[in-house]
Amino acid sequence: MAVEGTVVEVKRGEPVPAHVAVGDVVVVQPDHGGPKFGMPHAEVTVSSLSSEWPFPMCCSCVLPDRCTLDQGLCCYACWCSVCAHAEVADENGIHGLLRQKEWYKQCTAVCCAIWCTTLWCSSCFAWLWAPCIMTAYGTQVRDGVKRKWGLPDDEVCGPTFTTYLPAYFGLYCVPILFPNQAPCAAYQMLYFMKKQGAPAPECPCYKHVCVHCSPPVDGAAADKYQREVLKIGSNLRNMDDHSMEHIADDLHGDAQKGDLLKNQNTKDGETVTTTQPT
């Protein structure tokens, strides 16, 4: 990646310094305390000092008002989360494992690392460490995208790595606080890049299957699959009427504040807090 402006290093979890301007290069230290698995720090050229996500990340792949914005990208993010992250990384000039640049090489390197760890290591070691490779990779990509576009933190519970915690945290520890949100993060980033004018994903999975679930390109007629998917999406939004979004956003907000077990009732601008009966 060619360096065009001033190079600024951003420490773990810190925002981009105020003196950074568009065109400067920031070297981002991923916001996780685990092993890096040979992945370099994301080095990105700042494209915007302030942007906003198109929708909240948490559970975006299952909430009707969010997943139906582009069901093709949502399906792609769920089925091929590693490929989706790799394409986002490639579009933003972020290198992956072994400093690979092209999205298909990044995806291959991450998948091979996970498979090799699973096959060659003891079952206990593989179960613990193989998913952490995706945690390191996803954190690196997402931190790079946020610093490049001036996007706010929008994670499960604080640092970026909480979005990519291995699934066993959600299965065996606290499923409400720590579900694996990698597909939701991928979908949010893919949709953001689409709004920035990025081309459609190149993965065959998307080009030959998921594209039929996406809205037609401007000026193009919808095929029979797109018409059916758009009709399903419209029906889901009408049935839900934002109710699931409100519940998920309230729970997510309470979890981030540490008030998940609080029962709050708001009336006429006043918040009345009551404790749960024991």
Side-chain angles (χ1 to χ4, degrees):
M1 178 179 177
V3 176
E4 300 176 358
T6 305
V7 178
V8 179
E9 184 174 0
V10 179
K11 299 294 185 182
R12 175 187 171 192
E14 293 182 0
V16 173
H19 62 80
V20 170
V22 172
D24 287 347
V25 175
V26 293
V27 180
V28 185
Q29 182 178 357
D31 191 9
H32 65 78
K36 301 173 186 175
F37 296 102
M39 296 181 194
H41 291 177
E43 185 177 296
V44 295
T45 301
V46 176
S47 296
S48 174
L49 297 179
S50 179
S51 301
E52 292 295 331
W53 293 111
F55 47 79
M57 182 277 299
C58 198
C59 299
S60 59
C61 284
V62 296
L63 300 176
D65 273 8
R66 294 167 195 170
C67 69
T68 57
L69 290 171
D70 192 324
Q71 286 146 283
L73 289 181
C74 184
C75 289
Y76 177 47
C78 290
W79 293 346
C80 301
S81 181
V82 178
C83 290
H85 278 82
E87 294 216 48
V88 170
D90 194 356
E91 290 168 355
N92 289 280
I94 300 170
H95 291 186
L97 185 64
L98 305 178
R99 300 198 66 83
Q100 299 299 322
K101 183 181 184 301
E102 292 81 3
W103 70 269
Y104 57 90
K105 292 182 180 178
Q106 293 194 36
C107 181
T108 301
V110 172
C111 289
C112 286
I114 293 173
W115 292 334
C116 288
T117 303
T118 303
L119 292 173
W120 294 344
C121 299
S122 66
S123 58
C124 181
F125 182 84
W127 180 79
L128 287 172
W129 285 106
C132 294
I133 297 173
M134 184 58 197
T135 300
Y137 179 62
T139 301
Q140 175 207 27
V141 173
R142 191 162 172 84
D143 276 338
V145 170
K146 288 192 293 186
R147 300 303 182 265
K148 179 179 177 70
W149 295 97
L151 289 160
D153 290 332
D154 181 23
E155 312 305 333
V156 169
C157 189
T160 308
F161 78 89
T162 60
T163 297
Y164 297 97
L165 284 173
Y168 53 72
F169 276 90
L171 292 174
Y172 301 111
C173 298
V174 215
I176 294 177
L177 286 177
F178 297 113
N180 184 273
Q181 295 284 330
C184 298
Y187 174 46
Q188 186 192 46
M189 291 189 292
L190 284 169
Y191 194 82
F192 174 81
M193 293 306 300
K194 174 184 176 180
K195 291 302 181 182
Q196 303 306 312
E202 298 180 5
C203 177
C205 213
Y206 179 83
K207 290 176 69 175
H208 300 298
V209 180
C210 299
V211 69
H212 296 293
C213 299
S214 287
V217 179
D218 294 341
D223 61 30
K224 62 178 182 180
Y225 302 107
Q226 290 172 323
R227 287 195 295 271
E228 289 301 318
V229 169
L230 291 172
K231 186 185 299 183
I232 292 171
S234 177
N235 292 336
L236 286 173
R237 288 192 298 272
N238 291 335
M239 286 188 298
D240 178 64
D241 194 25
H242 305 288
S243 58
M244 289 180 65
E245 282 74 16
H246 294 323
I247 293 172
D249 289 344
D250 288 345
L251 281 173
H252 185 213
D254 289 345
Q256 288 184 315
K257 296 173 186 175
D259 296 335
L260 189 63
L261 301 180
K262 230 178 230 187
N263 179 22
Q264 294 187 334
N265 301 299
T266 304
K267 183 178 180 181
D268 298 329
E270 296 181 356
T271 301
V272 179
T273 303
T274 59
T275 57
Q276 299 290 347
T278 57

